Amino acid sequence: MNHNVKNICCIGAGYVGGPTMTMMASKCPHISFKVVDINQERIESWNDENLLKLPIFEPGLKELVAKTRNKNLFFSTNVKEAIEISDIIFISVNTPTKKRGLGAGKSSDLKWVEACAREVGKFSKGHTIVVEKSTLPVRTAEVIQKILNSEASDAKNEKSFRVLSNPEFLAEGTAINDLENPDRVLIGGEDKSAMRLLSQIYENWVPKEKILLTNIWSSELAKLTSNAFLAQRISSINSISAICEATGADIREVSRAIGKDSRIGSKFLDSGPGFGGSCFKKDILNLVYLAEYFGLKEVAKFWEEVVNINNWHQKRIAKIVVQKLFGTISEKKIIILGFAFKANTNDTRESAAIKICKDLLEEGAELVIHDPKVNPLQIEIDLKVKQFSDIKNESIDYPKNNLGNWKFSKNLNIFDNAHAVLVLTEWEDYKNIKWDHVAKKMKKPAWVFDARSIVNEDLIKKSGMNMWSLGDGSSKNDIRDF
Ligand code: NAD
Ligand code: UGA
């Protein structure tokens, strides 16, 4: 086996592949990294000369790409060439929930992973370590090994493979810090020397005691379980927020009080509009599928409820907006602050904003959506409704029909004649809004709905507007007319 790793490639230049390889390249200048993707546009964006069009927004990423790109980090569409020269190949492609066929709606669609395994089997040379970086169902490594072997069986030259699991735990918005200072690095496998080799790459910057070596199935299952536990905390706190609203308790006080218990801990206890992102829902559903497959019905039901309550919670927010605005929002202008699934990312996958905005449009609302990083074309794709184009900058004159409309705004000069403001993403920009100015522009009675607990309630009340804050029972039934 080649113990001298010179070339590493990563198949998939997405939210994981791009930042992960950039971090590795910055920490391992003696190794050359190739990030390859079939999506030419994405690769062109990674190669954008002035770094203005990187395909993902992630604090600190641009600076790191600037340091490494075209030195020991290369972005390319030449998958074959990258595979041929690599000692280690990371597979970091998308693994969404299957839409059709066996396991539809729950199990992961592995067609992209299978395609990668076939290409690696075909084009690799000599001994190659194949690393699962994508989040995968338990025992996928076995499938990958079989595909690699069958593709390689026709080869004239000798090939061999070892498959390792090395799931990624980064969160979007904090990816660079998560990659630089991970809580742990998990390497699952059977082959000790392949595991050691991968561990040595991480040891260039991660303390050895943080690198956990497990069997391959534990590693695959630990990744799904981590996401399930994190999502479960959010569903738990969001379910309690509804009780707070009914009883007069305040979810922020409840979170603070329970988070002080060192057995519970304070992280991941912020009540919000429901968890989004590309992974929590898909990974829990994957776990549900796994449990069902093994006949563990009760286990499956337990985890499925985490997703069900999240769906219920997202619906609940749109309903509250309608109820507070006298039961109708038809032709009412509502300002949506934030469309990304969390702050500091341009990612909208599974964002709570999608469902909430769709529900408001269904009720005939006229939405003005602001987000500092999300591309309005992405919003169009997510809402499946074209942006209304004839809207003048500040005074919005929508056509009179019962279907809602939406328009994107790059700036925050959007409050004129609005009936309500709904905060859905916790961007810093929204913490400093001058609510006394805003109040003067809005229709009365004006409402601010804060689903992220970032707005200063005192300022809203001083400005004479009505405030609904998620999980704050103390403000219930508080309607004023100025
Ligand atoms: P992504 O959709 O952003 O990127 C995947 C990329 O793979 C795409 O650019 C796609 O074009 C490319 N691709 C697909 N098939 C290919 C092929 N055969 N050859 C070359 N390129 C191919 O996905 P992501 O968010 O980076 O997630 C990747 C995996 O990592 C998923 O399994 C996800 O569950 C997991 N994960 C994601 C995160 C996250 O924060 N996004 C965190 C941890 C783990
Ligand atoms: C999550 C995990 O945190 C990562 O460890 C994991 O690697 C990743 O999924 C993955 O496998 O894809 P991510 O989805 O990027 O990361 O972001 P999170 O910070 O976990 O937020 C997920 C959702 O939960 C967001 O919508 C966020 O707003 C929401 N959230 C988070 C809350 O509502 N409250 C909280 O206290 C924390």
Side-chain angles (χ1 to χ4, degrees):
M1 180 188 294
N2 176 13
H3 285 269
N4 189 9
V5 175
K6 289 199 187 100
N7 291 294
I8 290 182
C9 101
C10 175
I11 310 180
Y15 282 87
V16 170
T20 308
M21 290 303 118
T22 306
M23 180 56 69
M24 281 195 179
S26 79
K27 300 295 182 184
C28 310
H30 53 291
I31 298 174
S32 174
F33 292 83
K34 274 211 163 65
V35 188
V36 291
D37 204 294
I38 42 175
N39 183 336
Q40 186 163 357
E41 203 184 323
R42 212 165 211 192
I43 291 298
E44 278 168 11
S45 303
W46 280 111
N47 281 326
D48 177 52
E49 205 178 335
N50 305 316
L51 295 154
L52 295 173
K53 291 187 197 149
L54 290 189
I56 61 182
F57 170 73
E58 191 61 61
L61 175 65
K62 194 166 131 183
E63 292 75 8
L64 220 52
V65 173
K67 270 196 213 161
T68 48
R69 199 181 58 184
N70 299 332
K71 293 188 184 95
N72 68 329
L73 175 69
F74 304 90
F75 294 93
S76 157
T77 50
N78 197 337
V79 179
K80 177 174 179 276
E81 185 197 64
I83 292 175
E84 279 172 352
I85 61 163
S86 291
D87 308 298
I88 299 180
I89 298 175
F90 287 88
I91 297 182
S92 186
V93 296
N94 33 322
T95 51
T97 305
K98 245 180 127 177
K99 289 202 175 114
R100 273 185 234 109
L102 195 68
K106 284 188 185 142
S107 78
S108 278
D109 193 340
L110 296 180
K111 80 173 181 200
W112 293 273
V113 172
E114 177 172 343
C116 291
R118 289 196 184 279
E119 301 221 271
V120 174
K122 217 186 291 168
F123 301 130
S124 64
K125 292 188 171 156
H127 185 75
T128 310
I129 296 175
V130 179
V131 185
E132 299 175 343
K133 195 47 135 172
S134 295
T135 304
L136 295 168
V138 183
R139 301 200 86 89
T140 304
E142 217 166 52
V143 177
I144 293 179
Q145 186 73 53
K146 276 189 192 148
I147 296 170
L148 290 169
N149 292 345
S150 62
E151 283 292 332
S153 60
D154 306 334
K156 291 185 194 88
N157 55 345
E158 189 109 321
K159 298 184 190 202
S160 56
F161 307 97
R162 287 288 178 273
V163 180
L164 299 179
S165 159
N166 172 221
E168 184 48 62
F169 294 99
L170 68 80
E172 289 176 31
T174 54
I176 298 304
N177 183 51
D178 297 343
L179 287 165
E180 189 156 28
N181 308 295
D183 286 344
R184 78 309 211 177
V185 166
L186 186 53
I187 300 175
E190 308 301 323
D191 183 296
K192 296 281 174 275
S193 68
M195 290 165 83
R196 209 173 314 118
L197 215 59
L198 183 56
S199 173
Q200 277 162 7
I201 307 281
Y202 282 105
E203 283 165 37
N204 282 295
W205 78 98
V206 179
K208 212 169 168 180
E209 60 277 13
K210 285 193 173 182
I211 303 177
L212 310 183
L213 306 181
T214 68
N215 82 37
I216 203 153
W217 325 123
S218 304
S219 169
E220 289 175 337
L221 184 59
K223 172 62 194 174
L224 292 183
T225 310
S226 287
N227 274 359
F229 268 56
L230 290 169
Q232 174 264 117
R233 272 174 84 94
I234 302 169
S235 278
S236 299
I237 203 71
N238 284 342
S239 72
I240 300 299
S241 74
I243 300 188
C244 286
E245 287 161 30
T247 57
D250 182 340
I251 194 64
R252 289 160 296 187
E253 292 178 353
V254 175
S255 291
R256 204 166 65 235
I258 63 168
K260 287 281 179 205
D261 186 326
S262 60
R263 294 167 302 175
I264 296 174
S266 61
K267 291 182 183 163
F268 262 69
L269 285 180
D270 291 331
S271 188
F275 60 76
S278 62
C279 295
F280 277 178
K281 186 171 155 196
K282 110 175 142 57
D283 292 348
I284 295 173
L285 292 175
N286 210 331
L287 200 61
V288 169
Y289 183 72
L290 192 76
E292 281 172 354
Y293 179 84
F294 288 106
L296 303 166
K297 268 194 225 144
E298 285 70 17
V299 178
K301 248 168 68 186
F302 173 78
W303 285 109
E304 197 161 19
E305 214 38 54
V306 173
V307 174
N308 291 344
I309 205 114
N310 196 52
N311 293 338
W312 170 81
H313 182 72
Q314 291 177 354
K315 281 254 167 229
R316 185 171 98 73
I317 291 176
K319 262 192 208 158
I320 286 169
V321 173
V322 177
Q323 278 162 4
K324 297 281 188 199
L325 296 183
F326 308 119
T328 175
I329 54 169
S330 176
E331 294 174 16
K332 287 184 180 166
K333 179 176 166 183
I334 298 177
I335 310 298
I336 303 294
L337 295 184
F339 202 82
F341 80 97
K342 64 184 282 196
N344 293 318
T345 178
N346 60 342
D347 196 348
T348 64
R349 290 176 291 180
E350 296 291 337
S351 177
I354 301 174
K355 265 195 204 145
I356 294 171
C357 287
K358 275 186 176 168
D359 284 349
L360 298 176
L361 288 173
E362 187 66 32
E363 294 274 349
E366 298 171 347
L367 307 180
V368 180
I369 302 176
H370 176 273
D371 190 288
K373 293 293 170 193
V374 172
N375 185 333
L377 290 176
Q378 185 57 49
I379 302 180
E380 216 160 80
I381 293 168
D382 291 333
L383 295 179
K384 298 190 178 74
V385 180
K386 279 221 167 289
Q387 181 173 192
F388 183 64
S389 55
D390 291 338
I391 299 170
K392 286 147 221 116
N393 191 16
E394 284 177 28
S395 87
I396 293 184
D397 188 15
Y398 288 92
K400 301 286 176 254
N401 61 26
N402 287 329
L403 299 171
N405 285 292
W406 71 277
K407 170 80 185 162
F408 184 76
S409 174
K410 267 193 201 148
N411 60 55
L412 283 169
N413 297 325
I414 46 181
F415 298 99
D416 274 319
N417 295 321
H419 289 254
V421 178
L422 173 53
V423 182
L424 292 181
T425 313
E426 71 281 22
W427 286 104
E428 258 327 285
D429 308 33
Y430 306 147
K431 293 182 185 163
N432 306 314
I433 290 177
K434 298 210 170 355
W435 291 108
D436 48 341
H437 292 299
V438 170
K440 286 180 194 133
K441 297 182 171 194
M442 288 178 62
K443 279 232 196 290
K444 296 165 193 171
W447 275 92
V448 175
F449 297 92
D450 182 9
R452 290 286 188 176
S453 301
I454 58 165
V455 175
N456 183 324
E457 197 164 341
D458 290 342
L459 290 181
I460 298 293
K461 294 206 161 154
K462 252 189 222 152
S463 69
M465 293 192 283
N466 297 296
M467 170 98 185
W468 175 87
S469 186
L470 182 69
D472 182 2
S474 63
S475 64
K476 75 184 163 123
N477 302 325
D478 185 11
I479 301 188
R480 284 175 289 157
D481 296 325
F482 276 66

